[in-house]
Amino acid sequence: MAGLPKLDRIDINILAQLQQNGRLSNVDLAELVGLSPSPCLARVRRLEEAGYIVSYNARLHLSKLVDHLTVFTEVTLNDHRREDFIKFEADIRRYETLQECHLVSGGYDYLLKFVSKNVSSYQELMESILDRNIGVEKYFSYIVIKTIFDRGTVPLKSLINES
């Protein structure tokens, strides 16, 4: 975080508001955070330029569009040299159904989140990953039966105030 602009409570509020609704007009956002529109827009641009705001997206209700399967996959690598992790991480990005990839501590190396059409397409994908010989020793799959909730946002104000 060195070299990044220091955030004040207004910046944090701007980020929290945009996280909840990225379609807010600048006038509405300014009103919500207690600024006039011009300084509010300047702050948003500064936050974008500093990389705090990565993108603006629409969250889709995927199950209304298409039947799909969410699968969490634990992956353990054969070897644990730096180059093995680099190779895996560089290659695994190629799969568009992979939504998240996390290097984790514990009994395995990576936790992956896939969104796939069905079980057979997920299995084909995993076979393709294994065939690429990118160092996967073993994997375990967990098919999501039902998503109880997905917040889609992080509790920014709580996280920042706790630190």
PDB file of all heavy atoms in Angstrom, residues 4 7 14 18 40-41 52-53 56 59 81 90-91 112 123 129 136 156 159:
ATOM      1  N   LEU A   4       0.365   4.737  -2.269  1.00  0.00           N
ATOM      2  CA  LEU A   4      -1.038   5.005  -2.587  1.00  0.00           C
ATOM      3  C   LEU A   4      -1.523   6.204  -1.790  1.00  0.00           C
ATOM      4  O   LEU A   4      -1.083   6.427  -0.654  1.00  0.00           O
ATOM      5  CB  LEU A   4      -1.908   3.788  -2.253  1.00  0.00           C
ATOM      6  CG  LEU A   4      -1.696   2.560  -3.129  1.00  0.00           C
ATOM      7  CD1 LEU A   4      -2.527   1.393  -2.625  1.00  0.00           C
ATOM      8  CD2 LEU A   4      -2.042   2.855  -4.575  1.00  0.00           C
ATOM      9  N   LEU A   7      -6.471   7.506   2.339  1.00  0.00           N
ATOM     10  CA  LEU A   7      -7.925   7.635   2.237  1.00  0.00           C
ATOM     11  C   LEU A   7      -8.481   8.267   3.499  1.00  0.00           C
ATOM     12  O   LEU A   7      -8.100   7.882   4.605  1.00  0.00           O
ATOM     13  CB  LEU A   7      -8.571   6.262   2.042  1.00  0.00           C
ATOM     14  CG  LEU A   7      -8.150   5.489   0.798  1.00  0.00           C
ATOM     15  CD1 LEU A   7      -8.852   4.149   0.750  1.00  0.00           C
ATOM     16  CD2 LEU A   7      -8.434   6.273  -0.459  1.00  0.00           C
ATOM     17  N   ILE A  14     -17.227   7.103  -0.312  1.00  0.00           N
ATOM     18  CA  ILE A  14     -17.419   7.051  -1.766  1.00  0.00           C
ATOM     19  C   ILE A  14     -17.257   5.611  -2.262  1.00  0.00           C
ATOM     20  O   ILE A  14     -18.089   5.108  -3.013  1.00  0.00           O
ATOM     21  CB  ILE A  14     -16.429   7.989  -2.490  1.00  0.00           C
ATOM     22  CG1 ILE A  14     -16.822   9.455  -2.271  1.00  0.00           C
ATOM     23  CG2 ILE A  14     -16.353   7.668  -3.979  1.00  0.00           C
ATOM     24  CD1 ILE A  14     -15.793  10.464  -2.753  1.00  0.00           C
ATOM     25  N   LEU A  18     -20.211   3.369  -3.986  1.00  0.00           N
ATOM     26  CA  LEU A  18     -20.065   2.847  -5.350  1.00  0.00           C
ATOM     27  C   LEU A  18     -20.086   1.323  -5.372  1.00  0.00           C
ATOM     28  O   LEU A  18     -20.545   0.723  -6.343  1.00  0.00           O
ATOM     29  CB  LEU A  18     -18.783   3.373  -5.990  1.00  0.00           C
ATOM     30  CG  LEU A  18     -18.824   4.846  -6.391  1.00  0.00           C
ATOM     31  CD1 LEU A  18     -17.453   5.297  -6.885  1.00  0.00           C
ATOM     32  CD2 LEU A  18     -19.897   5.103  -7.446  1.00  0.00           C
ATOM     33  N   CYS A  40     -16.530  15.831  -5.614  1.00  0.00           N
ATOM     34  CA  CYS A  40     -16.842  14.402  -5.559  1.00  0.00           C
ATOM     35  C   CYS A  40     -16.280  13.710  -6.799  1.00  0.00           C
ATOM     36  O   CYS A  40     -15.626  12.670  -6.702  1.00  0.00           O
ATOM     37  CB  CYS A  40     -18.347  14.181  -5.454  1.00  0.00           C
ATOM     38  SG  CYS A  40     -18.809  12.443  -5.315  1.00  0.00           S
ATOM     39  N   LEU A  41     -16.510  14.287  -7.966  1.00  0.00           N
ATOM     40  CA  LEU A  41     -15.999  13.712  -9.205  1.00  0.00           C
ATOM     41  C   LEU A  41     -14.472  13.666  -9.197  1.00  0.00           C
ATOM     42  O   LEU A  41     -13.875  12.670  -9.623  1.00  0.00           O
ATOM     43  CB  LEU A  41     -16.500  14.508 -10.408  1.00  0.00           C
ATOM     44  CG  LEU A  41     -16.113  13.967 -11.780  1.00  0.00           C
ATOM     45  CD1 LEU A  41     -16.598  12.535 -11.964  1.00  0.00           C
ATOM     46  CD2 LEU A  41     -16.648  14.872 -12.873  1.00  0.00           C
ATOM     47  N   TYR A  52      -7.846   2.025  -6.700  1.00  0.00           N
ATOM     48  CA  TYR A  52      -8.781   1.560  -5.675  1.00  0.00           C
ATOM     49  C   TYR A  52     -10.072   1.058  -6.315  1.00  0.00           C
ATOM     50  O   TYR A  52     -10.682   0.110  -5.835  1.00  0.00           O
ATOM     51  CB  TYR A  52      -9.126   2.675  -4.688  1.00  0.00           C
ATOM     52  CG  TYR A  52      -7.992   3.048  -3.760  1.00  0.00           C
ATOM     53  CD1 TYR A  52      -7.368   4.284  -3.861  1.00  0.00           C
ATOM     54  CD2 TYR A  52      -7.551   2.172  -2.772  1.00  0.00           C
ATOM     55  CE1 TYR A  52      -6.335   4.626  -3.007  1.00  0.00           C
ATOM     56  CE2 TYR A  52      -6.525   2.505  -1.919  1.00  0.00           C
ATOM     57  CZ  TYR A  52      -5.922   3.737  -2.034  1.00  0.00           C
ATOM     58  OH  TYR A  52      -4.901   4.069  -1.193  1.00  0.00           O
ATOM     59  N   ILE A  53     -10.481   1.717  -7.379  1.00  0.00           N
ATOM     60  CA  ILE A  53     -11.659   1.271  -8.139  1.00  0.00           C
ATOM     61  C   ILE A  53     -11.120   0.554  -9.369  1.00  0.00           C
ATOM     62  O   ILE A  53     -10.460   1.149 -10.212  1.00  0.00           O
ATOM     63  CB  ILE A  53     -12.554   2.457  -8.538  1.00  0.00           C
ATOM     64  CG1 ILE A  53     -13.076   3.167  -7.288  1.00  0.00           C
ATOM     65  CG2 ILE A  53     -13.697   1.981  -9.428  1.00  0.00           C
ATOM     66  CD1 ILE A  53     -13.809   4.463  -7.573  1.00  0.00           C
ATOM     67  N   TYR A  56     -16.345  -1.138 -13.060  1.00  0.00           N
ATOM     68  CA  TYR A  56     -17.766  -1.022 -12.766  1.00  0.00           C
ATOM     69  C   TYR A  56     -18.449  -2.150 -13.524  1.00  0.00           C
ATOM     70  O   TYR A  56     -18.249  -2.304 -14.729  1.00  0.00           O
ATOM     71  CB  TYR A  56     -18.312   0.332 -13.239  1.00  0.00           C
ATOM     72  CG  TYR A  56     -17.677   1.511 -12.536  1.00  0.00           C
ATOM     73  CD1 TYR A  56     -16.523   2.101 -13.021  1.00  0.00           C
ATOM     74  CD2 TYR A  56     -18.239   2.009 -11.374  1.00  0.00           C
ATOM     75  CE1 TYR A  56     -15.940   3.180 -12.370  1.00  0.00           C
ATOM     76  CE2 TYR A  56     -17.663   3.087 -10.715  1.00  0.00           C
ATOM     77  CZ  TYR A  56     -16.511   3.663 -11.220  1.00  0.00           C
ATOM     78  OH  TYR A  56     -15.945   4.726 -10.568  1.00  0.00           O
ATOM     79  N   ARG A  59     -23.992  -6.978 -11.867  1.00  0.00           N
ATOM     80  CA  ARG A  59     -24.109  -8.312 -11.258  1.00  0.00           C
ATOM     81  C   ARG A  59     -25.336  -8.980 -11.861  1.00  0.00           C
ATOM     82  O   ARG A  59     -26.427  -8.437 -11.804  1.00  0.00           O
ATOM     83  CB  ARG A  59     -24.259  -8.196  -9.744  1.00  0.00           C
ATOM     84  CG  ARG A  59     -22.941  -7.861  -9.082  1.00  0.00           C
ATOM     85  CD  ARG A  59     -23.032  -7.985  -7.601  1.00  0.00           C
ATOM     86  NE  ARG A  59     -23.715  -9.198  -7.216  1.00  0.00           N
ATOM     87  CZ  ARG A  59     -23.226 -10.088  -6.365  1.00  0.00           C
ATOM     88  NH1 ARG A  59     -22.076  -9.885  -5.809  1.00  0.00           N
ATOM     89  NH2 ARG A  59     -23.907 -11.165  -6.058  1.00  0.00           N
ATOM     90  N   ARG A  81       8.046 -25.792  -5.440  1.00  0.00           N
ATOM     91  CA  ARG A  81       9.085 -24.815  -5.758  1.00  0.00           C
ATOM     92  C   ARG A  81       8.408 -23.565  -6.325  1.00  0.00           C
ATOM     93  O   ARG A  81       7.291 -23.638  -6.857  1.00  0.00           O
ATOM     94  CB  ARG A  81      10.060 -25.381  -6.784  1.00  0.00           C
ATOM     95  CG  ARG A  81      10.822 -26.616  -6.291  1.00  0.00           C
ATOM     96  CD  ARG A  81      11.702 -27.139  -7.395  1.00  0.00           C
ATOM     97  NE  ARG A  81      10.900 -27.289  -8.616  1.00  0.00           N
ATOM     98  CZ  ARG A  81      10.783 -28.418  -9.304  1.00  0.00           C
ATOM     99  NH1 ARG A  81      11.411 -29.489  -8.922  1.00  0.00           N
ATOM    100  NH2 ARG A  81      10.047 -28.462 -10.385  1.00  0.00           N
ATOM    101  N   ALA A  90       0.139 -19.041 -13.969  1.00  0.00           N
ATOM    102  CA  ALA A  90       0.121 -18.473 -15.321  1.00  0.00           C
ATOM    103  C   ALA A  90      -0.815 -19.255 -16.236  1.00  0.00           C
ATOM    104  O   ALA A  90      -1.565 -18.672 -17.021  1.00  0.00           O
ATOM    105  CB  ALA A  90       1.539 -18.466 -15.895  1.00  0.00           C
ATOM    106  N   ASP A  91      -0.810 -20.570 -16.122  1.00  0.00           N
ATOM    107  CA  ASP A  91      -1.590 -21.400 -17.033  1.00  0.00           C
ATOM    108  C   ASP A  91      -3.076 -21.459 -16.664  1.00  0.00           C
ATOM    109  O   ASP A  91      -3.931 -21.508 -17.546  1.00  0.00           O
ATOM    110  CB  ASP A  91      -1.013 -22.814 -17.091  1.00  0.00           C
ATOM    111  CG  ASP A  91      -1.500 -23.567 -18.313  1.00  0.00           C
ATOM    112  OD1 ASP A  91      -0.891 -23.385 -19.386  1.00  0.00           O
ATOM    113  OD2 ASP A  91      -2.494 -24.302 -18.192  1.00  0.00           O
ATOM    114  N   LEU A 112     -10.129 -22.998  -5.972  1.00  0.00           N
ATOM    115  CA  LEU A 112     -10.630 -22.455  -7.225  1.00  0.00           C
ATOM    116  C   LEU A 112     -12.156 -22.446  -7.199  1.00  0.00           C
ATOM    117  O   LEU A 112     -12.771 -23.317  -6.601  1.00  0.00           O
ATOM    118  CB  LEU A 112     -10.165 -23.311  -8.408  1.00  0.00           C
ATOM    119  CG  LEU A 112      -8.685 -23.662  -8.485  1.00  0.00           C
ATOM    120  CD1 LEU A 112      -8.420 -24.549  -9.695  1.00  0.00           C
ATOM    121  CD2 LEU A 112      -7.839 -22.419  -8.536  1.00  0.00           C
ATOM    122  N   GLN A 123     -16.086 -31.789 -15.665  1.00  0.00           N
ATOM    123  CA  GLN A 123     -15.157 -32.909 -15.700  1.00  0.00           C
ATOM    124  C   GLN A 123     -14.226 -32.817 -16.913  1.00  0.00           C
ATOM    125  O   GLN A 123     -13.029 -33.060 -16.798  1.00  0.00           O
ATOM    126  CB  GLN A 123     -15.893 -34.254 -15.692  1.00  0.00           C
ATOM    127  CG  GLN A 123     -14.962 -35.439 -15.580  1.00  0.00           C
ATOM    128  CD  GLN A 123     -14.093 -35.395 -14.330  1.00  0.00           C
ATOM    129  OE1 GLN A 123     -14.529 -34.966 -13.277  1.00  0.00           O
ATOM    130  NE2 GLN A 123     -12.838 -35.806 -14.467  1.00  0.00           N
ATOM    131  N   ILE A 129      -7.224 -29.657 -17.739  1.00  0.00           N
ATOM    132  CA  ILE A 129      -6.214 -29.087 -16.841  1.00  0.00           C
ATOM    133  C   ILE A 129      -5.162 -30.131 -16.497  1.00  0.00           C
ATOM    134  O   ILE A 129      -3.958 -29.861 -16.535  1.00  0.00           O
ATOM    135  CB  ILE A 129      -6.874 -28.511 -15.569  1.00  0.00           C
ATOM    136  CG1 ILE A 129      -7.684 -27.256 -15.924  1.00  0.00           C
ATOM    137  CG2 ILE A 129      -5.834 -28.207 -14.490  1.00  0.00           C
ATOM    138  CD1 ILE A 129      -8.555 -26.725 -14.799  1.00  0.00           C
ATOM    139  N   VAL A 136      -0.507 -30.358 -11.262  1.00  0.00           N
ATOM    140  CA  VAL A 136      -1.576 -30.757 -10.340  1.00  0.00           C
ATOM    141  C   VAL A 136      -1.357 -32.203  -9.911  1.00  0.00           C
ATOM    142  O   VAL A 136      -1.335 -33.121 -10.736  1.00  0.00           O
ATOM    143  CB  VAL A 136      -2.969 -30.592 -10.986  1.00  0.00           C
ATOM    144  CG1 VAL A 136      -4.062 -31.102 -10.052  1.00  0.00           C
ATOM    145  CG2 VAL A 136      -3.214 -29.139 -11.368  1.00  0.00           C
ATOM    146  N   LEU A 156     -16.542  -2.723   3.740  1.00  0.00           N
ATOM    147  CA  LEU A 156     -15.402  -1.824   3.656  1.00  0.00           C
ATOM    148  C   LEU A 156     -15.206  -0.967   4.897  1.00  0.00           C
ATOM    149  O   LEU A 156     -14.108  -0.899   5.469  1.00  0.00           O
ATOM    150  CB  LEU A 156     -15.519  -0.928   2.416  1.00  0.00           C
ATOM    151  CG  LEU A 156     -14.352  -0.040   2.089  1.00  0.00           C
ATOM    152  CD1 LEU A 156     -13.102  -0.868   1.868  1.00  0.00           C
ATOM    153  CD2 LEU A 156     -14.659   0.805   0.881  1.00  0.00           C
ATOM    154  N   LEU A 159     -14.026  -3.120   7.814  1.00  0.00           N
ATOM    155  CA  LEU A 159     -12.660  -3.595   7.635  1.00  0.00           C
ATOM    156  C   LEU A 159     -11.646  -2.486   7.886  1.00  0.00           C
ATOM    157  O   LEU A 159     -10.614  -2.703   8.513  1.00  0.00           O
ATOM    158  CB  LEU A 159     -12.467  -4.163   6.228  1.00  0.00           C
ATOM    159  CG  LEU A 159     -13.166  -5.476   5.937  1.00  0.00           C
ATOM    160  CD1 LEU A 159     -13.058  -5.797   4.454  1.00  0.00           C
ATOM    161  CD2 LEU A 159     -12.595  -6.597   6.764  1.00  0.00           C
TER     162      LEU A 159
END
